Amino acid sequence: MVFSSAIFLFFFLPAVFLLYRFVPSRFGKNLLLALASIVFYAFGQLNYVPLFLGSVLINYLSGLALMSKIGRRRMILALSVILNIGILCVFKYTDFAIRNVNALFSSSIPYTGIELPIGISFFTFQGLSYTIDVYRDRESGTKDFLKLLLYISFFPQLIAGPIVKYHDIADQIDNRTCTPEDTSAGLRRFITGLAKKILIANAVGYIADRVFNEHLPGGITDWRLMWLGAICYTLQIYYDFSGYSDMAIGIGHMFGFTFRENFRYPYGADSIKDFWRKWHISLSSWFKEYLYIPLGGNRKGKTRTVLNKMIVFFCTGIWHGANWTFVLWGFGHGLLSSLEDLGVIPAKRLSSSRGGRVIGRLYTMLAVTLLFVIFRADSISQAFRMIALMFSGSASSYGTFLCRSLLTPAACAVLLIAVLFAGNLPIRLKEAVGARESAAWQITVSLFFLAVYILCLMSLARGGFNPFIYFQF
């Protein structure tokens, strides 16, 4: 079940929201949300509900053992980590390993054909963070299975994040309020995310898919078409994923939960390091807290810092999927970030002046776009072929025809809006508008969001099914 589907918008979310309002006790509300979350997951993959609940149970029992006064806490933690990572590896990387073994040794080991459980990377990381936090502090855990189940399974962030740490919402599970203002703010945030997904991400994604799935494999060599596909995918993945995060945060507000921001206008970054401070913040902070710092962070010299960073970005890449394209994407980000740290790429000096920041943003967006070509491509060879074509300067009349057929007036309008609002423009608009409290202004804002919501429903009614990109991770 996806947030942009009719069954979620017209049945699941309204039903859960209304039932939540009628349930009087905090225990009843938590139980309702936990059960609704299991139904939400079962709607997508009923056969993997036992696996999901088993993962929650493993972390619950591990937490209980770590909270008790029994010894061998390191062994308990290690066992929990092995079980969590083991489940993730079996379901996500078994066929990837077989494929590489077959290629390396010319063997013919049959593939397992294991179907990837939806959201396994996200709920595994939430379970891991809980167990590690309890190991670090016995008081940070819970003996209430329902609370842990709700924390890991809560449907807004279950499938594609943001990754939430237990200590960030533990108090909210026990004590939370949901005022009309919270509900209104949550609805507006949800509609913002819905518009990002349906009106922008789907539109530019159509162009990106045509280039990557049809024209690139078909042998088209027009550099303009390749750049169009690369730019459209770069915009698609931002609006798709940030839209999902907006919807998750908005739904959380509707039920009294506050999740941390997952995106802060990353396409306005002036360096790769700045980009990762603003892109998928919950994942980057997870790796920083549970891998980079334990490895030593930047405390053991420049060489060790670079090594630690490359390990983290390797894990970031492979976390996204079982393909060497993801590993190379992560390696590229790690290399550029390390070069910025070492001063080879003068990102700090560039950020000290207005002109330098413009150059920094251009360099960052160029690097991000090219690396997203690798991320999106089916293989490394296909990615390098497309990048080569982007700088080849080759063009053709057929390529011109294809570009014109894809760049319809509606597509151009969406592209213009997508480019304008992907950077720092929204921040400037918020500063210009400021906090206005007049009744007329509030009515205007409400009518605007209502119009956007109706436009999303109209687009949804005539469009097809478009899953979120991060569902596959």
Side-chain angles (χ1 to χ4, degrees):
M1 190 186 307
V2 298
F3 293 163
S4 56
S5 65
I7 190 171
F8 181 86
L9 292 172
F10 299 131
F11 297 99
F12 182 85
L13 182 59
V16 175
F17 181 77
L18 291 175
L19 286 172
Y20 184 84
R21 287 295 186 270
F22 285 108
V23 174
S25 66
R26 179 66 57 225
F27 172 82
K29 290 180 183 294
N30 288 346
L31 180 61
L32 170 67
L33 291 180
L35 293 175
S37 298
I38 294 172
V39 171
F40 178 85
Y41 191 86
F43 192 89
Q45 282 185 326
L46 178 62
N47 56 318
Y48 278 139
V49 170
L51 173 70
F52 170 70
L53 294 177
S55 174
V56 177
L57 183 61
I58 286 171
N59 290 291
Y60 173 70
L61 295 176
S62 300
L64 287 181
L66 291 168
M67 290 169 65
S68 68
K69 295 182 179 180
I70 62 175
R72 300 185 176 181
R73 299 182 77 243
R74 286 189 178 182
M75 186 183 72
I76 295 169
L77 175 65
L79 180 61
S80 175
V81 171
I82 290 171
L83 288 173
N84 277 286
I85 297 296
I87 292 172
L88 182 62
C89 288
V90 166
F91 285 91
K92 194 166 186 176
Y93 304 110
T94 299
D95 282 347
F96 176 66
I98 292 173
R99 183 167 65 250
N100 284 281
V101 169
N102 286 343
L104 188 61
F105 298 103
S106 299
S107 56
S108 56
I109 303 172
Y111 295 119
T112 64
I114 297 175
E115 184 183 8
L116 182 67
I118 296 174
I120 188 171
S121 297
F122 290 93
F123 67 71
T124 298
F125 268 34
Q126 292 208 172
L128 275 171
S129 70
Y130 170 77
T131 306
I132 295 170
D133 286 345
V134 176
Y135 172 77
R136 292 173 175 176
D137 179 12
R138 282 189 173 94
E139 303 300 319
S140 65
T142 179
K143 296 181 180 179
D144 189 331
F145 179 75
L146 176 61
K147 291 181 181 179
L148 187 67
L149 176 62
L150 176 58
Y151 154 66
I152 296 178
S153 70
F154 192 31
F155 69 89
Q157 46 80 46
L158 170 61
I159 303 299
I163 300 170
V164 179
K165 301 181 182 73
Y166 182 75
H167 58 74
D168 288 334
I169 65 167
D171 291 338
Q172 298 176 46
I173 291 175
D174 290 327
N175 301 289
R176 62 184 182 274
T177 58
C178 191
T179 64
E181 291 76 18
D182 291 330
T183 302
S184 178
L187 282 171
R188 290 197 297 270
R189 188 65 180 269
F190 179 82
I191 293 171
T192 299
L194 188 66
K196 283 183 176 181
K197 167 60 179 172
I198 294 179
L199 302 181
I200 299 180
N202 287 356
V204 295
Y206 171 77
I207 299 175
D209 289 344
R210 290 287 302 276
V211 174
F212 279 92
N213 297 340
E214 298 178 23
H215 303 316
L216 180 59
I220 304 300
T221 59
D222 195 294
W223 69 273
R224 298 165 297 178
L225 191 66
M226 298 301 109
W227 272 106
L228 179 62
I231 292 170
C232 282
Y233 182 72
T234 301
L235 293 170
Q236 179 196 7
I237 194 170
Y238 167 66
Y239 282 102
D240 189 283
F241 193 22
S242 69
Y244 187 96
S245 295
D246 285 339
M247 285 187 268
I249 292 170
I251 296 171
H253 275 305
M254 293 168 63
F255 293 101
F257 289 90
T258 300
F259 300 141
R260 293 184 177 182
E261 294 294 333
N262 206 25
F263 290 87
R264 291 196 181 96
Y265 308 106
Y267 289 171
D270 52 21
S271 67
I272 293 297
K273 287 188 67 177
D274 189 32
F275 173 81
W276 278 100
R277 285 191 286 265
K278 299 175 178 179
W279 175 275
H280 205 344
I281 299 168
S282 63
L283 179 66
S284 57
S285 64
W286 195 100
F287 274 117
K288 179 180 179 180
E289 183 173 347
Y290 298 109
L291 184 58
Y292 181 69
I293 292 176
L295 284 173
N298 60 358
R299 304 186 304 275
K300 298 185 178 182
K302 291 183 178 180
T303 302
R304 183 62 181 272
T305 299
V306 171
L307 176 61
N308 292 342
K309 184 163 288 190
M310 296 309 296
I311 292 172
V312 167
F313 275 102
F314 168 81
C315 293
T316 302
I318 201 68
W319 177 89
H320 280 84
N323 195 317
W324 287 111
T325 54
F326 298 119
V327 175
L328 185 57
W329 171 79
F331 178 82
H333 276 281
L335 178 62
L336 291 175
S337 181
S338 297
L339 292 175
E340 290 174 3
D341 282 340
L342 296 173
V344 178
I345 298 175
K348 288 185 178 180
R349 289 206 307 270
L350 289 174
S351 64
S352 61
S353 66
R354 185 173 182 177
R357 285 193 295 273
V358 172
I359 295 172
R361 286 169 186 165
L362 291 174
Y363 138 73
T364 302
M365 279 311 305
L366 176 62
V368 167
T369 301
L370 295 178
L371 287 169
F372 270 140
V373 169
I374 299 173
F375 187 94
R376 172 62 175 79
D378 294 331
S379 65
I380 291 176
S381 60
Q382 187 192 63
F384 285 166
R385 178 173 176 268
M386 181 166 177
I387 291 172
L389 290 172
M390 290 166 66
F391 293 95
S392 68
S394 63
S396 65
S397 57
Y398 186 55
T400 302
F401 168 76
L402 290 174
C403 288
R404 287 177 177 174
S405 65
L406 292 173
L407 290 174
T408 63
C412 289
V414 172
L415 266 172
L416 178 61
I417 293 171
V419 170
L420 288 176
F421 284 88
N424 293 323
L425 180 61
I427 300 175
R428 295 176 182 176
L429 289 176
K430 288 180 181 179
E431 293 174 350
V433 172
R436 301 189 180 185
E437 303 296 337
S438 67
W441 174 254
Q442 294 300 324
I443 292 173
T444 302
V445 170
S446 298
L447 290 175
F448 170 77
F449 278 99
L450 178 61
V452 171
Y453 183 64
I454 293 173
L455 189 60
C456 289
L457 295 183
M458 292 171 61
S459 179
L460 182 63
R462 67 172 183 266
F465 174 72
N466 294 97
F468 289 88
I469 291 175
Y470 267 68
F471 274 24
Q472 64 183 296
F473 307 134

